[in-house]
Amino acid sequence: MPINIEEIRNLFPVLHQEVNGKPLVYFDNAATTQKPKQVLDALVQYYELDNSNIHRGAHTLADRATRYYENTRSAIQKFINAKEEEEIIFTKGTTESINLVASTFGRKFISKGDEIIISTLEHHSNIVPWQMLCEEKGAILKIIPISEEGEIDLEAFENLLSEKTKFVSIVHVSNALGTINPVKQIIKSAHKVGARVLLDGAQSTSHLEVDVQDLDCDFLAFSAHKLYGPTGLGILYGKREVLESMPPYQGGGEMIKEVSFEKTTYNEIPFKFEAGTPNIADVIAFAKAIEFIQQLGKKEIKEHEDELLSYATDGLNSIKGFIPVGTAKEKVSVISFNINEMHPFDVGMMLDANGIAVRTGHHCTQPLMHRLGLEGTVRASFSVYNTKSEIDRLVAAVSKIAKIKNK
Ligand code: 7TS
């Protein structure tokens, strides 16, 4: 069934406001999505009725909070089709999920001369942790090149692979350009040389069906806040046997089985990687975000977003001075662009004056911008609650801005 946009918009209180005297148009969804009412209500309800520490209290509230918390783990397991609930670890974001793998898997399995492969499209959070690891271990970071359109060079990737390759960490969908990478093929090739693969799913999980068993990735990292959920909550999926082979991340409560000054033993997964009191309220509320997505249907969401993408692409491409950045064949609903010689920040300010929220700059992908010979771009990213009439407003505003410069 096609989605009912007005009904959906009514679930998002934040959308119903004016910015600079104009109705807000929120096109910064790749940075973070807005949260529906049921997620906000779940946060308040938790603090008003259930607040208590989990996994340790012998009382009703603690029991209830633990049950809700673990229900979210189970909802995530189904959401990404993981085999087992224990393969889902809560972190504070994609960034922490990647750092967890780099520092624990890296500590145990990466040695001098080993090679780790990432791509030119990566977000800084999938570059810097690997650089830090390589520096510490004397390992080597190899980079997959891309085309002018923003697509990964698969042949070059195949040529980078060897028995030295121990790890491939790759973005599923580029946050800066929207490119969807052929990750299934990348994973298959990496496995042939015995390398493990992490998918940065920060941008893919909100737009695409992500099935970790079908993809056969060893790890998947993503953030709740880009999926209509709260900030400060991330997920790391890992295959059971890989997670079990890794040393713990942080030491403290919850992650232990038995502590003595002579010898401490560690808890089973997932708790081995969840030291300390976790982000209970946000985990509980995130289940409502997943429910929201599942009620609408991933397929229906994607159809709506694809329609917005093609409508916006057609409208913007007709403007003289509009320069698209990233024109991959397979894309999600992200449009990166520049206008003539204008600085992206100036364009962003002018759009904001029209009530239109976009992101400008390097989008935490400085090496990518460098490869494209750009300082940055303006990025409009669309979500399920956006409409064609909002895109009309973007096209009209961009057209007006381009005319100033064309004069
Ligand atoms: N990887 C990708 C592909 C991302 O898009 C982001 C955030 C991250 C990792 C980091 O996620 P975090 O939740 O840990 O911060 N991307 C963006 C963005 O494009 N604009 O703001 C944040």
Side-chain angles (χ1 to χ4, degrees), residues 30-31 93-95 123 125 171 173 175 200 202-203 223 225-226 359 363 379:
T94 306
T95 304
H123 186 280
S125 65
V171 71
V173 166
N175 67 314
D200 174 350
Q203 299 291 339
S223 298
H225 73 93
K226 294 182 197 283
R359 187 173 169 182
H363 315 294
R379 181 187 68 185

CSV table of all heavy atoms in Angstrom, one decimal, residues 30-31 93-95 123 125 171 173 175 200 202-203 223 225-226 359 363 379, ligand 1:
chain,number,residue,atom,x,y,z
A,30,ALA,N,20.3,12.6,6.4
A,30,ALA,CA,21.5,11.7,6.4
A,30,ALA,C,22.3,12.0,7.7
A,30,ALA,O,23.1,11.2,8.2
A,30,ALA,CB,22.3,11.9,5.2
A,31,ALA,N,22.1,13.2,8.2
A,31,ALA,CA,22.8,13.6,9.5
A,31,ALA,C,22.1,12.9,10.6
A,31,ALA,O,22.7,12.3,11.5
A,31,ALA,CB,22.9,15.1,9.6
A,93,GLY,N,27.0,4.4,19.1
A,93,GLY,CA,26.9,4.9,17.7
A,93,GLY,C,27.7,4.1,16.8
A,93,GLY,O,28.5,3.2,17.2
A,94,THR,N,27.5,4.3,15.5
A,94,THR,CA,28.3,3.7,14.4
A,94,THR,C,29.8,3.8,14.8
A,94,THR,O,30.6,2.9,14.7
A,94,THR,CB,28.0,4.3,13.1
A,94,THR,OG1,26.6,4.2,12.8
A,94,THR,CG2,28.7,3.5,12.0
A,95,THR,N,30.1,5.0,15.1
A,95,THR,CA,31.5,5.4,15.5
A,95,THR,C,32.1,4.4,16.5
A,95,THR,O,33.2,3.9,16.4
A,95,THR,CB,31.7,6.8,15.9
A,95,THR,OG1,31.1,7.7,14.9
A,95,THR,CG2,33.1,7.2,16.2
A,123,HIS,N,33.4,7.5,5.5
A,123,HIS,CA,33.2,8.5,6.6
A,123,HIS,C,34.5,8.5,7.5
A,123,HIS,O,35.1,7.4,7.6
A,123,HIS,CB,32.0,8.2,7.4
A,123,HIS,CG,31.5,9.2,8.4
A,123,HIS,ND1,32.1,9.3,9.7
A,123,HIS,CD2,30.6,10.1,8.4
A,123,HIS,CE1,31.5,10.2,10.4
A,123,HIS,NE2,30.6,10.8,9.6
A,125,SER,N,34.8,8.1,10.5
A,125,SER,CA,34.7,7.1,11.5
A,125,SER,C,35.1,5.7,11.0
A,125,SER,O,35.2,4.8,11.8
A,125,SER,CB,33.4,7.1,12.2
A,125,SER,OG,32.4,6.8,11.3
A,171,VAL,N,31.9,1.1,3.5
A,171,VAL,CA,30.6,1.7,3.7
A,171,VAL,C,29.6,1.1,2.8
A,171,VAL,O,29.9,0.9,1.6
A,171,VAL,CB,30.8,3.3,3.6
A,171,VAL,CG1,31.0,3.7,2.1
A,171,VAL,CG2,29.5,4.0,4.1
A,173,VAL,N,26.4,2.4,2.1
A,173,VAL,CA,25.9,3.6,1.3
A,173,VAL,C,26.7,4.8,1.8
A,173,VAL,O,26.8,5.1,2.9
A,173,VAL,CB,24.4,3.7,1.6
A,173,VAL,CG1,23.9,5.1,1.1
A,173,VAL,CG2,23.6,2.6,1.0
A,175,ASN,N,27.5,8.4,2.7
A,175,ASN,CA,26.7,9.5,3.3
A,175,ASN,C,26.8,10.8,2.5
A,175,ASN,O,25.9,11.6,2.5
A,175,ASN,CB,27.1,9.8,4.8
A,175,ASN,CG,28.5,10.4,4.9
A,175,ASN,OD1,29.5,9.8,4.2
A,175,ASN,ND2,28.7,11.4,5.6
A,200,ASP,N,29.8,-0.6,7.2
A,200,ASP,CA,29.3,0.6,7.8
A,200,ASP,C,27.9,0.8,7.3
A,200,ASP,O,27.7,1.3,6.2
A,200,ASP,CB,30.3,1.7,7.5
A,200,ASP,CG,29.7,3.1,8.1
A,200,ASP,OD1,28.6,3.1,8.5
A,200,ASP,OD2,30.5,4.1,8.0
A,202,ALA,N,25.6,2.8,8.5
A,202,ALA,CA,25.0,4.0,9.1
A,202,ALA,C,23.9,4.6,8.2
A,202,ALA,O,22.9,5.1,8.6
A,202,ALA,CB,26.0,5.1,9.4
A,203,GLN,N,24.2,4.6,6.9
A,203,GLN,CA,23.2,5.1,5.9
A,203,GLN,C,22.4,4.1,5.2
A,203,GLN,O,21.4,4.5,4.6
A,203,GLN,CB,24.0,6.0,4.8
A,203,GLN,CG,24.8,7.1,5.4
A,203,GLN,CD,23.9,8.3,5.9
A,203,GLN,OE1,22.8,8.4,5.6
A,203,GLN,NE2,24.5,9.1,6.8
A,223,SER,N,23.6,3.3,13.5
A,223,SER,CA,23.2,4.2,14.6
A,223,SER,C,21.7,4.3,14.6
A,223,SER,O,21.1,4.5,13.6
A,223,SER,CB,23.8,5.6,14.3
A,223,SER,OG,25.2,5.6,14.3
A,225,HIS,N,20.0,6.8,15.7
A,225,HIS,CA,19.5,8.2,15.4
A,225,HIS,C,19.3,8.5,13.9
A,225,HIS,O,18.6,9.4,13.6
A,225,HIS,CB,20.4,9.2,16.1
A,225,HIS,CG,21.7,9.4,15.4
A,225,HIS,ND1,21.9,10.4,14.4
A,225,HIS,CD2,22.9,8.8,15.5
A,225,HIS,CE1,23.1,10.3,14.0
A,225,HIS,NE2,23.8,9.4,14.6
A,226,LYS,N,19.8,7.6,13.1
A,226,LYS,CA,19.5,7.8,11.6
A,226,LYS,C,18.4,6.9,11.2
A,226,LYS,O,18.0,6.8,10.0
A,226,LYS,CB,20.8,7.4,10.8
A,226,LYS,CG,21.9,8.4,11.1
A,226,LYS,CD,23.1,8.0,10.2
A,226,LYS,CE,24.4,8.7,10.7
A,226,LYS,NZ,24.5,10.1,10.4
A,359,ARG,N,22.7,20.0,4.8
A,359,ARG,CA,24.0,20.0,5.4
A,359,ARG,C,25.0,20.5,4.4
A,359,ARG,O,24.8,20.2,3.2
A,359,ARG,CB,24.5,18.6,5.9
A,359,ARG,CG,25.8,18.7,6.7
A,359,ARG,CD,26.3,17.5,7.3
A,359,ARG,NE,27.7,17.7,7.8
A,359,ARG,CZ,28.4,16.9,8.4
A,359,ARG,NH1,28.0,15.7,8.6
A,359,ARG,NH2,29.7,17.2,8.7
A,363,HIS,N,31.2,16.8,5.0
A,363,HIS,CA,30.4,15.6,5.5
A,363,HIS,C,31.2,14.5,6.1
A,363,HIS,O,30.9,13.3,6.0
A,363,HIS,CB,29.6,15.0,4.3
A,363,HIS,CG,28.9,16.1,3.5
A,363,HIS,ND1,27.9,16.9,4.0
A,363,HIS,CD2,29.1,16.5,2.2
A,363,HIS,CE1,27.5,17.7,3.0
A,363,HIS,NE2,28.2,17.5,1.9
A,379,ARG,N,24.3,19.2,0.7
A,379,ARG,CA,23.7,17.9,0.7
A,379,ARG,C,22.2,18.0,1.1
A,379,ARG,O,22.0,18.4,2.2
A,379,ARG,CB,24.5,16.9,1.5
A,379,ARG,CG,23.9,15.5,1.5
A,379,ARG,CD,24.5,14.6,2.5
A,379,ARG,NE,24.2,15.0,3.9
A,379,ARG,CZ,24.7,14.4,5.0
A,379,ARG,NH1,25.6,13.5,4.8
A,379,ARG,NH2,24.4,14.8,6.1
B,1,7TS,N1,29.4,6.2,8.9
B,1,7TS,C1,28.6,6.9,8.0
B,1,7TS,C2,28.4,6.4,6.6
B,1,7TS,C3,27.9,8.0,8.4
B,1,7TS,O1,27.1,8.6,7.6
B,1,7TS,C4,28.0,8.5,9.8
B,1,7TS,C5,27.4,9.7,10.2
B,1,7TS,C6,28.9,7.7,10.6
B,1,7TS,C7,29.5,6.6,10.1
B,1,7TS,C8,29.0,8.1,12.1
B,1,7TS,O2,27.8,7.8,12.7
B,1,7TS,P1,27.6,8.3,14.3
B,1,7TS,O3,26.2,8.1,14.5
B,1,7TS,O4,28.5,7.5,15.1
B,1,7TS,O5,28.0,9.8,14.3
B,1,7TS,N2,27.1,10.6,9.2
B,1,7TS,C9,26.8,11.9,9.4
B,1,7TS,C10,26.5,12.7,8.3
B,1,7TS,O6,26.5,12.4,7.1
B,1,7TS,N3,26.1,14.0,8.7
B,1,7TS,O7,26.2,14.0,10.1
B,1,7TS,C11,26.6,12.7,10.5
